[in-house]
Amino acid sequence: TLMTSAAIMVCAAAATAQTVGFSQIGSESGWRAAETTLTRQQAEERGIDLKFSDAQQRQENQIAAIRSFVAQGVDAILLAPVVATGWDSVLEEAQEAEIPVVLLDRQVDAPDDLYLTAVGSDLVHEGEVAGQWLVEKVGDRECRIVELQGTTGSSPAIDRATGFRNAIEGHDNLEIVRSQTGDFTRTGGKEVMESFLQAESGNEICALYAHNDDMALGAIQAINEAGLNPGEDILIVSIDAVPDIFKAMAEGDANATVELTPNMAGPAFDALEAYWEDGTMPEKFIQTESTLYTQDDDPMAEYEARKDLGY
Ligand code: GZL
C-alpha cells in the first residue's frame, strides 16, 4: 500500500530519533516521582525515545540497567545515582562504548571525565539555607534539633548534613541532639520521628530538620499522634518544595522548605542535543536554583502551582 508522505516523514524522523536510557533510583518521594514525570515529558517533547529503568533504590539494579543500555547501544544514558560511590567501572564501560552519561540530581565520587555533565542543585547550599532559616527563627532561644537524614551514602544526605551544620556553627544555642536516616520516605520519616519522640520524652525538641519534605510529612504525622503541635511546639524545616509541604504550611504544621526543581531533564537534554549536534562540551556541573519558601509565602498558591506537575 502507498505510504502517505506524513508516514514517510514520521519514519524518517524515527530513524534519526535519539534513544536515551534512564536509570532512575525509584519512587521514594513525591519529588522523585515528579522528576520521572518531567523527564518523560521532556523526552516526548523532543522526540527522544526514552528507555526507563526503576532501580527500586538498589545500586546493583542501576549498574545492571546501565550495562543493558550499553548493550543496546543507546545514544546517551541519564543516571540518578542512589549513592555516591561504586560507579567507576560501569561508567568506564559506557565511556569505552562512547556513550555519554549525564548525572541527574545526585553526584558520584568518580573522575569527572566519566560523565558528560551533572545537572543538580548545590546540595550543601540547600542545607545552609535551611540552617540559616532556623538560626534566624529561634534567635537566642535554646533549640534542641533532631535531624532526619536522606539515604545513607547519597550525596544529598552527605551534603545537606554538612550545609546545615555550617549554618548553625557558632550558634551554641542550637544543637543537633538526634540524627538518623529516614531514607527520604514518608514512612521512614514517621517511624524515625516516633523513635526520636520516645527517646527524647521529657526533653524538649525545638525543631526538626528533614533532608526532604516527604520525611518531614511523615514526621508531622508522628508529632500529631504524640499530641504535640508540629510547626508550633516543633518547628519543621525541610527541602524539595513538594505540593503537600505547602498544604502542611497552610495548616500551620510546617514552617519552611528549600525548593529543588524536579526538571533536571530539561538542562540534561539541552546539553545532550548540543553534544550530539556538533560535539559541544557542556560545563561539568549545571547548577539549578535553591529558593526558600516559608509560611509567609502564600503556601496555598505555591501548592496550586505545583499540584499537577506529577509529584
Ligand atoms: C536531591 C534528590 C533527593 C530529593 C529526595 O537532589 O536526590 O532524592 O531531595 C529524593 O526527595 O529522594
Side-chain angles (χ1 to χ4, degrees), residues 120-194:
S121 64
D122 178 340
L123 296 159
V124 173
H125 177 62
E126 291 174 331
E128 289 168 343
V129 172
Q132 191 54 37
W133 172 83
L134 187 61
V135 164
E136 289 164 17
K137 181 79 176 175
V138 302
D140 296 334
R141 180 158 69 97
E142 286 300 308
C143 188
R144 303 175 79 252
I145 305 159
V146 295
E147 178 187 33
L148 288 168
Q149 295 203 338
T151 300
T152 304
S154 68
S155 62
I158 294 162
D159 291 349
R160 287 172 177 171
T162 301
F164 187 84
R165 284 160 178 75
N166 292 348
I168 69 171
E169 193 172 358
H171 299 275
D172 298 339
N173 57 312
L174 285 93
E175 182 195 3
I176 299 171
V177 296
R178 299 246 170 217
S179 182
Q180 189 175 329
T181 183
D183 223 5
F184 283 129
T185 65
R186 292 192 186 206
T187 307
K190 182 173 190 289
E191 288 170 0
V192 175
M193 190 68 208
E194 284 164 353

Side-chain angles (χ1 to χ4, degrees), residues 28-29 31-32 105-106 123 156 160 184 212 240 260:
E28 72 280 1
S29 69
W31 185 91
R32 182 69 52 198
D105 79 82
R106 296 187 187 179
L123 296 159
R160 287 172 177 171
F184 283 129
N212 81 334
D240 278 352
L260 174 72

